[in-house]
């Protein structure tokens, strides 16, 4: 039976490359009988592995050889592939991003032999100019309030319906229906009260102007987070916090088997202010400084797999629910 | 955030064996005995794989589909209508709105379902082979060991699941293969060296 085998050799023993460098090596071929090869294709691609559905991106594809292989001889086809800047190799909890060279020979009337070798791509250290990120987060509109109102009406309606229906039953059924009715009605009231309180908090605070000093940061960079708002009524602030955070988010399966896995692997809190008052119509500007960890992994976003960096602002007011907003930014490769 | 190296090289693996696999890898990795089902579909008729979530219905269907690569494979994400075909594969058939009509119009059909639809298939004039998917200790060990071999980096030792580890998984997760794999994913993330895996 004819047999052909491929093996990829990468020149650098540790197989660690920086973005933009060139990976070199050879595809070695062994055959035990004469063998036609339509094409010996070498592909360079990144691929995710871990908890999420697999995402991949092909960067390069080259044909190293077409022709006939004779038995008894060894064949080696050298390659030289310049690597892109990213995505950089990342090994996390649920998300991993890795780089691969894949060789496959197109052999007629036989199972195509193939081989794969992985390598590490580390980020380029060059700096890139960063722009300020500025976002205005308006209070939840009528739509948000409307949705909550509809939900509270549904829960309340079902609850009242069950309570009324329980009056027409007897024995255990009465108690069960009345119990469930009371639960649903209470849930409806709770949703309504919560949404009203949240709306009041957002209206009093007014639009939040959130700003980060850079939209593209790198490990070790300083990052200034600023929040500005002008209350529409006098408020008593308990505190305002900014949290620098990074998380992996992966989606596995599809349909009814879809599961989202989220793992926050970095958080750092900065208090922008403690208890203080803020008068109606008087602008408030609060600022906090972060330093990104030196080994901060770059942001990554592919189908069903992402690594996201963000700053979460939380404004706490006395007697009202917290108002929170996120601003995402990119940690560059 | 540790220094970068080749992934899982310390375990002589290329990746965590219990992470998500592509449908084609799942088909290759499936530990199934499907000869009689292949035969049934070739002669015309219906095959149903019945089980709760996580027991291997989809893996059985994917493995069977390798024998009929041209047949449509439909994975339903919500209640929907399906167009009939000569040979049809449907995962989550419980969600097909017009399934009685579909059953009447196919020559062969393979299904994944939470509860048997054999009576409906027979009413549509199809002969039915039912497979009730479950994993005993031997099959569970085969499934998990095949996963570890799939992730192997090179010759030599790789992490090993002992008989007591398999028994512990069976005791904790029953025949829910997906739950056992999810647990092992977390264990393999923290393994520091090749050896027996404690579960």
């Amino acid at each position: 039976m004819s047999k052909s085998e491929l093996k990829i050799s990468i020149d650098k023993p540790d197989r660690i490359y920086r973005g933009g460098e060139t990976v070199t090596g050879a595809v070695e071929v062994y055959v035990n009988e004469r063998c036609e090869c339509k094409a010996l294709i070498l592909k360079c691609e990144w691929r995710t592995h871990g908890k999420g559905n697999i995402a991949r991106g092909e960067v390069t594809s080259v044909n190293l050889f077409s022709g006939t292989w004779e038995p008894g001889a060894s064949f080696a086809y050298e390659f030289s592939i310049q690597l892109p800047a990213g995505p950089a190799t990342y090994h996390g909890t649920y998300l991993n991003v890795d780089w691969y060279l894949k060789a496959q020979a197109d052999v007629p009337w036989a199972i195509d032999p193939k081989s794969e070798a992985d390598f590490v791509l580390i980020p380029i250290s060059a700096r890139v100019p960063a722009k300020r990120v500025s976002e205005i987060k308006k209070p939840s509109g009528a739509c948000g309030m409307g949705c909550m109102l509809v939900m509270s009406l549904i829960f309340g309606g079902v609850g009242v319906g069950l309570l009324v229906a329980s009056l027409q039953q007897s024995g255990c059924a009465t108690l069960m229906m009345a119990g469930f009715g009371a639960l649903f009605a209470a849930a409806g009231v709770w949703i309504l009260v919560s949404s009203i309180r949240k709306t009041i908090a957002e209206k009093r605070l007014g639009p939040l102007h959130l700003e980060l000093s850079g939209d593209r940061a790198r490990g070790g960079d300083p990052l200034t987070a600023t929040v500005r708002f002008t209350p529409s009524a006098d408020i008593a602030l308990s505190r305002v916090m900014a949290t620098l955070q990074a998380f992996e988010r992966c989606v596995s399966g599809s349909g009814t088997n879809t599961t989202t896995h989220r793992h926050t692997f970095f958080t750092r809190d900065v208090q922008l202010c403690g208890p203080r008052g803020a008068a109606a119509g008087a602008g408030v500007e609060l600022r906090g400084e972060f330093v990104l960890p030196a080994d901060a992994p770059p942001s990554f976003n592919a189908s069903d797999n992402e690594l996201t960096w963000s700053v979460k602002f939380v404004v706490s007011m006395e007697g009202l629910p917290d108002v929170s907003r996120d601003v995402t930014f990119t940690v560059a490769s | 955030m540790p220094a970068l190296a080749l992934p899982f090289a310390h375990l002589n693996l290329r990746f965590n064996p219990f992470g998500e696999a592509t449908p084609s890898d799942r088909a290759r990795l499936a530990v199934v005995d499907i000869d009689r089902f292949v035969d049934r579909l070739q002669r015309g008729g219906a095959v149903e794989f019945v089980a709760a979530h996580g027991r291997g219905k989809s893996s059985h269907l994917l493995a069977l589909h390798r024998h009929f690569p041209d047949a449509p494979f439909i994975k339903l994400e919500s209640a929907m209508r399906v167009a009939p075909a000569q040979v049809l594969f449907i995962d989550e058939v419980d969600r097909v709105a017009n399934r009685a009509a579909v059953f009447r119009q196919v020559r062969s059909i393979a299904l994944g379902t939470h509860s048997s639809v054999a009576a409906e298939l027979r009413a549509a004039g199809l002969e039915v082979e039912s497979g009730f998917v479950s994993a005993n200790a031997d099959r569970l060990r085969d499934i998990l060991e095949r996963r570890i071999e799939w992730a192997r980096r090179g010759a030599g030792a790789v992490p090993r699941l002992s008989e007591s580890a398999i028994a512990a998984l069976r005791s904790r997760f029953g025949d829910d293969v997906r739950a056992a794999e999810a647990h092992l994913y977390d264990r393999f993330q923290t393994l520091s060296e090749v050896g027996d895996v404690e579960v």
Side-chain angles (χ1 to χ4, degrees), chain A:
Chain A
M1 186 177 163
S2 73
K3 186 180 166 191
S4 48
E5 283 178 5
L6 305 183
K7 185 184 167 210
I8 299 173
S9 299
I10 294 177
D11 288 340
K12 223 172 163 183
D14 64 1
R15 299 198 224 166
I16 297 175
Y17 294 87
R18 199 169 281 283
E21 286 185 351
T22 301
V23 54
T24 59
V27 178
E28 295 161 18
V29 180
Y30 163 82
V31 293
N32 70 347
E33 65 181 48
R34 194 169 195 273
C35 179
E36 283 293 325
C37 171
K38 282 187 178 174
L40 174 61
I41 302 292
L42 181 70
K43 291 179 180 176
C44 180
E45 69 171 28
W46 59 262
R47 201 161 69 219
T48 64
H49 56 97
K51 283 280 193 184
N53 296 324
I54 289 167
R56 65 181 76 213
E58 187 180 307
V59 171
T60 314
S61 178
V62 289
N63 185 5
L64 297 177
F65 174 75
S66 299
T68 306
W69 287 317
E70 300 289 348
S74 61
F75 305 91
Y77 303 94
E78 292 183 353
F79 59 80
S80 172
I81 293 173
Q82 185 171 15
L83 299 170
T89 296
Y90 171 71
H91 299 150
T93 302
Y94 292 152
L95 171 67
N96 299 276
V97 183
D98 268 297
W99 280 84
Y100 301 90
L101 291 169
K102 292 171 66 181
Q104 182 164 355
D106 184 356
V107 178
W109 306 107
I111 295 171
D112 291 345
K114 56 184 86 167
S115 178
E116 183 173 277
D118 50 1
F119 62 93
V120 171
L121 182 77
I122 56 175
I124 303 170
S125 56
R127 315 301 302 176
V128 287
K131 293 180 293 188
R132 294 180 85 80
V133 183
S134 187
E135 291 185 20
I136 299 175
K137 306 278 187 176
K138 293 181 178 167
S140 304
C143 178
M145 181 63 190
C147 290
M148 298 300 278
L149 192 60
V150 168
M151 276 183 63
S152 68
L153 283 174
I154 290 171
F155 273 87
V158 170
V160 171
L162 284 170
L163 284 169
V164 171
S166 71
L167 298 175
Q168 295 158 359
Q169 304 291 321
S170 60
C172 279
T174 308
L175 281 174
M176 279 185 65
M177 287 182 83
F180 279 114
L183 275 175
F184 272 86
V189 170
W190 184 81
I191 293 169
L192 184 65
V193 171
S194 298
S195 60
I196 289 171
R197 291 183 72 230
K198 185 167 179 281
T199 305
I200 290 171
E202 290 182 342
K203 293 279 186 207
R204 285 195 184 170
L205 203 56
L208 289 179
H209 298 250
L210 309 177
E211 195 171 284
L212 300 180
S213 53
D215 66 333
R216 289 175 68 82
R218 287 182 186 279
D221 281 357
L223 192 69
T224 306
T226 308
V227 56
R228 295 187 200 93
F229 53 90
T230 305
S232 61
D234 290 350
I235 55 173
L237 294 169
S238 305
R239 65 177 189 175
V240 178
M241 298 292 294
T243 303
L244 173 64
Q245 58 184 1
F247 60 87
E248 302 165 7
R249 183 178 170 278
C250 299
V251 177
S252 64
S254 62
T256 55
N257 291 330
T258 299
T259 308
T260 300
H261 310 271
R262 184 182 156 123
H263 173 66
T264 301
F265 62 87
F266 180 87
T267 58
R268 184 142 307 156
D269 294 324
V270 168
Q271 183 166 310
L272 306 186
C273 82
R276 57 166 279 188
V284 176
E285 178 173 316
L286 304 167
R287 186 170 296 201
E289 301 284 338
F290 296 103
V291 177
L292 279 174
D295 56 355
S299 303
F300 177 77
N301 194 342
S303 166
D304 292 337
N305 294 274
E306 66 180 66
L307 190 163
T308 301
W309 284 90
S310 70
V311 175
K312 181 177 190 175
F313 295 85
V314 180
V315 181
S316 303
M317 289 169 279
E318 283 176 17
L320 288 169
D322 292 353
V323 175
S324 67
R325 294 287 186 272
D326 281 23
V327 180
T328 59
F329 65 99
T330 301
V331 173
S333 291

Side-chain angles (χ1 to χ4, degrees), chain B residues 72-85 87-106 109-111:
Chain B
F73 189 109
I74 300 166
K75 169 103 182 168
L76 292 172
E77 306 204 345
S78 58
M80 60 182 280
R81 301 179 75 80
V82 170
V87 183
L88 192 58
F89 283 70
I90 306 178
D91 203 359
E92 308 260 356
V93 75
D94 318 65
R95 296 175 162 268
V96 177
N98 59 331
R99 66 186 186 209
V102 172
F103 293 169
R104 281 196 300 272
Q105 293 173 60
V106 293
I109 189 166
L111 312 169

Side-chain angles (χ1 to χ4, degrees), chain B:
Chain B
M1 287 170 270
L4 285 173
L6 293 175
F8 293 89
H10 62 292
L11 301 179
N12 192 23
L13 299 174
R14 294 175 294 132
F15 47 82
N16 189 322
F18 300 102
E20 199 68 12
T22 61
S24 62
D25 281 333
R26 285 179 67 193
R28 280 194 307 112
L29 291 166
V31 178
V32 292
D33 180 11
I34 53 171
D35 290 348
R36 70 188 168 109
F37 302 118
V38 174
D39 185 51
R40 165 49 61 206
L41 290 187
Q42 282 170 342
R43 286 190 287 121
V47 168
E48 62 167 5
F49 294 115
V50 186
H53 281 295
R55 269 62 178 182
K57 293 185 302 294
S58 300
S59 296
H60 274 73
L61 270 182
L62 288 164
L64 187 57
H65 189 255
R66 294 183 84 194
H67 296 266
F68 303 89
D70 297 329
F73 189 109
I74 300 166
K75 169 103 182 168
L76 292 172
E77 306 204 345
S78 58
M80 60 182 280
R81 301 179 75 80
V82 170
Q86 271 290 93
V87 183
L88 192 58
F89 283 70
I90 306 178
D91 203 359
E92 308 260 356
V93 75
D94 318 65
R95 296 175 162 268
V96 177
N98 59 331
R99 66 186 186 209
V102 172
F103 293 169
R104 281 196 300 272
Q105 293 173 60
V106 293
R107 192 181 77 83
S108 297
I109 189 166
L111 312 169
T113 177
H114 298 301
S115 52
S116 175
V117 291
E120 293 175 55
L121 292 163
R122 288 195 187 97
L126 294 164
E127 288 192 51
V128 184
E129 288 274 1
S130 295
F132 294 90
V133 181
S134 182
N136 58 24
D138 287 343
R139 184 165 168 262
L140 181 63
R141 187 183 56 244
D142 289 348
I143 290 169
L144 302 178
E145 286 182 349
R146 195 173 285 194
R147 280 263 182 170
I148 294 171
E149 279 304 311
W150 169 54
R152 175 183 282 279
R153 180 171 286 280
V158 289
R160 181 178 168 276
L161 290 164
S162 64
E163 290 300 324
S164 61
I166 297 290
L169 288 169
R170 285 272 301 161
S171 149
R172 188 160 171 190
F173 301 107
D175 66 346
D176 189 343
V177 178
R178 192 182 301 156
E181 289 177 342
H183 176 73
L184 286 172
Y185 180 93
D186 295 335
R187 289 294 303 119
F188 272 65
Q189 283 297 117
T190 55
L191 284 184
S192 56
E193 58 185 14
V194 172
D196 281 349
V197 180
E198 288 178 26
V199 297

